[in-house]
Amino acid sequence: MSKKIIIAIDGFSSTGKSTIAKLLAQKYNYIYVDTGAMYRAVTLYAKQNNFVGLEKLDVSGLVSNLKNISLSFQLNNDLGFAEMFLNGVNVEKHIRSLEISQLVSKVSTISEVRTKLVAEQQIMGKERGIVMDGRDIGTVVFPDAELKLFMTASADKRATRRYKELIERGDKVEFKDILFNVQERDRIDSTRQDSPLMKANDAIEFDNSDMGITEQFERICTLVEKRIS
Ligand code: DC
């Protein structure tokens, strides 16, 4: 019998973390949790309630309303993965917009937001058998994860991937805005005081600027096999 483990995948935005995480979850029949979607959903709530904007962040307003935010993942059988629900409403498409991408790093600096989401994430991983991606999974959420991966790629490659995704779904965006957003999020995510994005000492780094998904996935599966057998 193979052992159920926690696979923690951290790294910069648009480094293909979720693609790898979904493939791993499928192969090993694990739960996949996209923690970025949780921060994005809180950001959507903050925006809808006027607690955040390009020039504004009302920390106390948002913090006093955190109790009114209920997040859940619900499986979409057609897509084969779970979608993000905010207070019972499917917000999957909304949270992926450039508008939310421009605000999410700011909201993610708030310690009270992090405490709430980290606690929810730790509950999801209690039984192990989970693949979780984000920025602080191997360092804060599951420092005892059996396998920690840290993904990187050049900002240009990442912005190109993100741009393609947004254009394919019909959003009207410009490449220069996407590149700026990727660089700006790198900066805020890596320099915030509370749990900044950093590689855990025991994480294995993958620079996938020039590595295809298949090659990466095969290498990662070899690492998984070693830990579950
Ligand atoms: O993975 P993503 O690009 O969807 O994440 C969106 C933002 O959420 C990211 O720029 C920073 C924040 N985030 C975080 O602070 N901690 C996490 N564990 C996941 C995401």
Side-chain angles (χ1 to χ4, degrees):
M1 251 262 299
S2 63
K3 189 173 112 188
K4 289 231 176 251
I5 63 167
I6 293 179
I7 306 173
I9 309 183
D10 289 305
F12 295 96
S13 61
S14 307
T15 42
K17 301 186 297 292
S18 68
T19 307
I20 290 291
K22 280 178 196 163
L23 288 170
L24 288 170
Q26 232 168 20
K27 172 160 179 163
Y28 296 101
N29 203 14
Y30 276 21
I31 293 167
Y32 164 54
V33 177
D34 168 5
T35 63
M38 301 171 75
Y39 287 91
R40 286 171 178 273
V42 171
T43 304
L44 178 64
Y45 176 91
K47 197 189 150 275
Q48 286 168 342
N49 291 279
N50 216 16
F51 296 132
V52 72
L54 285 176
E55 306 296 329
K56 143 176 203 169
L57 181 62
D58 174 359
V59 174
S60 60
L62 177 57
V63 168
S64 60
N65 276 278
L66 283 178
K67 57 184 179 307
N68 300 322
I69 301 179
S70 160
L71 305 177
S72 60
F73 286 102
Q74 294 182 28
L75 183 68
N76 178 327
N77 279 314
D78 294 336
L79 297 174
F81 59 84
E83 295 182 306
M84 186 80 246
F85 281 66
L86 165 64
N87 292 335
V89 178
N90 185 335
V91 291
E92 190 60 35
K93 180 146 198 262
H94 279 92
I95 60 171
R96 311 282 169 196
S97 66
L98 177 59
E99 198 182 10
I100 295 300
S101 297
Q102 283 166 335
L103 303 173
V104 63
S105 287
K106 207 152 51 168
V107 170
S108 306
T109 60
I110 304 172
S111 287
E112 289 86 347
V113 170
R114 306 203 68 82
T115 303
K116 172 184 168 79
L117 299 191
V118 167
E120 292 181 14
Q121 291 152 11
Q122 287 172 334
I123 291 171
M124 293 177 204
K126 249 181 30 200
E127 311 287 327
R128 305 190 105 73
I130 194 165
V131 190
M132 194 173 273
D133 78 24
R135 303 292 187 286
D136 57 346
I137 312 307
T139 50
V140 175
V141 183
F142 294 118
D144 62 341
E146 288 83 355
L147 178 60
K148 299 181 187 177
L149 307 171
F150 191 83
M151 318 294 272
T152 64
S154 71
D156 210 67
K157 282 265 158 69
R158 292 185 283 130
T160 305
R161 289 175 194 158
R162 191 96 198 101
Y163 177 70
K164 270 198 198 147
E165 271 169 28
L166 291 170
I167 291 292
E168 271 165 23
R169 64 177 226 166
D171 288 10
K172 291 193 175 28
V173 288
E174 293 207 29
F175 179 76
K176 68 170 179 21
D177 296 332
I178 305 295
L179 180 61
F180 180 75
N181 176 250
V182 160
Q183 291 167 330
E184 200 46 18
R185 280 205 286 147
D186 287 355
R187 186 184 65 76
I188 303 175
D189 294 348
S190 319
T191 56
R192 67 173 175 236
Q193 277 205 323
D194 188 345
S195 27
L197 166 65
M198 58 181 174
K199 180 178 165 293
N201 289 335
D202 49 350
I204 299 159
E205 186 165 337
F206 278 82
D207 182 334
N208 62 25
S209 304
D210 299 305
M211 201 193 288
I213 284 292
T214 313
E215 185 187 346
Q216 245 181 96
F217 184 59
E218 279 168 8
R219 289 206 205 177
I220 294 169
C221 286
T222 309
L223 297 169
V224 175
E225 307 291 336
K226 277 194 196 144
R227 282 153 180 86
I228 63 178
S229 57

